Amino acid sequence: SNPLEWTVTDVVRFIKLTDCAPLAKIFQEQDIDGQALLLLTLPTVQECMELKLGPAIKLCHQIERVKVAFYAQYA
């Protein structure tokens, strides 16, 4: 589905399906929907989510997967 239309619940569901599942609670608490997810960058993830570099990089890898699939299908 189009990530621009994802709700916070959709984003949390996606994160739970990745190796970043323990971070799903942060997405719920921060109200990150699909539009916000596509705007996340490594500096933002590190600073705003207060993550160490390792987990932040793994999370950004998952976000990049969504971005690549989005651009391939919708752009």
Side-chain angles (χ1 to χ4, degrees):
S1 63
N2 185 342
L4 286 177
E5 298 172 359
W6 287 3
T7 64
V8 174
T9 303
D10 294 328
V11 171
V12 169
R13 189 176 303 125
F14 166 75
I15 296 298
K16 285 183 176 179
L17 294 173
T18 72
D19 60 346
C20 299
L23 304 176
K25 183 179 178 184
I26 296 172
F27 285 81
Q28 184 75 50
E29 292 169 350
Q30 296 295 324
D31 289 331
I32 297 174
D33 62 9
Q35 290 181 7
L37 181 75
L38 293 176
L39 294 171
L40 288 176
T41 63
L42 182 59
T44 305
V45 166
Q46 274 189 282
E47 293 167 21
C48 298
M49 295 186 172
E50 299 177 2
L51 296 177
K52 291 186 178 181
L53 183 59
I57 289 173
K58 288 180 181 178
L59 178 57
C60 285
H61 171 72
Q62 298 299 335
I63 294 169
E64 286 301 314
R65 287 180 48 225
V66 174
K67 289 179 182 180
V68 167
F70 169 75
Y71 292 126
Q73 188 169 0
Y74 295 101

